[in-house]
Amino acid sequence: MEKNKQQVIDLLISHNQILVRSKPYSEELSQWGKQNIAQGAVIHKDYVIFDPLPDDAFGANVFLTLSDSFTMDNQTQRCIVVPFYTHPKNTIEVASATEKFTINLQLDAPLYSLYYEICEGDEVFYKFTFIPALVPITAHYIIDDQWGGKKGKMLQSGKV
């Protein structure tokens, strides 16, 4: 794939969260409400947190891709899409409670449809696909999953 279109990070996942943010850490934006726990995500326009589903602390590969289209991995167990805004002056990061890494993709657009996949092969791994967008997509599940996600069901934004 072209330079600055793909990145792989070995992330220590802990505290039941994996996040992508286009602003510095915020305690306020990191709060989970009951509905957030049920839907497996806290969604803000430039700060999104997802439940990685396994409860323990563990290392996992996180695959980051910038693309013009989305193709779901055949090992995907959960898939969610959310709108995601970037700020040109801010670093875009993928993080857990214990680690953070700068995303080195060429994310020049102000808005993306951000696809989050939890996949299971020999080990659990995660995928984030950034697709430039002109209008914000409605946050929703892409597939039915065993944790309560229903294909097409919309997700709520903010702490809910």
Side-chain angles (χ1 to χ4, degrees):
M1 189 165 233
E2 288 181 49
K3 186 179 180 188
N4 295 329
K5 300 277 186 178
Q6 203 164 44
Q7 182 179 0
V8 181
I9 293 170
D10 184 5
L11 182 67
L12 177 61
I13 311 276
S14 64
H15 297 81
N16 293 337
Q17 60 185 2
I18 182 171
L19 63 113
V20 175
R21 60 185 180 219
S22 180
K23 61 173 28 174
Y25 171 78
S26 167
E27 183 69 31
E28 181 182 342
L29 297 178
S30 297
Q31 300 303 307
W32 291 72
K34 288 182 182 179
Q35 180 62 34
N36 298 118
I37 293 168
Q39 72 184 14
V42 179
I43 303 164
H44 301 285
K45 68 178 191 167
D46 51 11
Y47 198 102
V48 292
I49 309 169
F50 297 100
D51 183 343
L53 295 177
D55 289 331
D56 300 329
F58 60 98
N61 282 326
V62 179
F63 296 86
L64 306 162
T65 304
L66 173 60
S67 182
D68 293 328
S69 62
F70 175 71
T71 302
M72 189 167 27
D73 191 291
N74 62 6
Q75 299 177 91
T76 297
Q77 304 295 307
R78 166 169 272 184
C79 187
I80 294 173
V81 64
V82 300
F84 184 74
Y85 290 85
T86 63
H87 302 285
K89 295 180 182 178
N90 292 349
T91 300
I92 303 167
E93 298 175 324
V94 62
S96 66
T98 56
E99 289 187 313
K100 65 180 179 179
F101 293 91
T102 298
I103 296 175
N104 294 321
L105 303 178
Q106 198 167 348
L107 299 175
D108 298 330
L111 173 62
Y112 292 87
S113 295
L114 176 59
Y115 290 82
Y116 167 66
E117 294 173 87
I118 300 173
C119 305
E120 190 168 6
D122 293 334
E123 298 179 339
V124 173
F125 61 97
Y126 300 88
K127 289 183 152 187
F128 288 102
T129 304
F130 295 83
I131 298 176
L134 297 176
V135 294
I137 194 163
T138 301
H140 65 280
Y141 295 99
I142 301 295
I143 59 172
D144 291 344
D145 65 48
Q146 62 184 334
W147 302 278
K150 297 292 178 201
K151 182 178 180 177
K153 182 180 176 187
M154 290 187 290
L155 285 82
Q156 296 182 34
S157 296
K159 180 183 173 191
V160 290

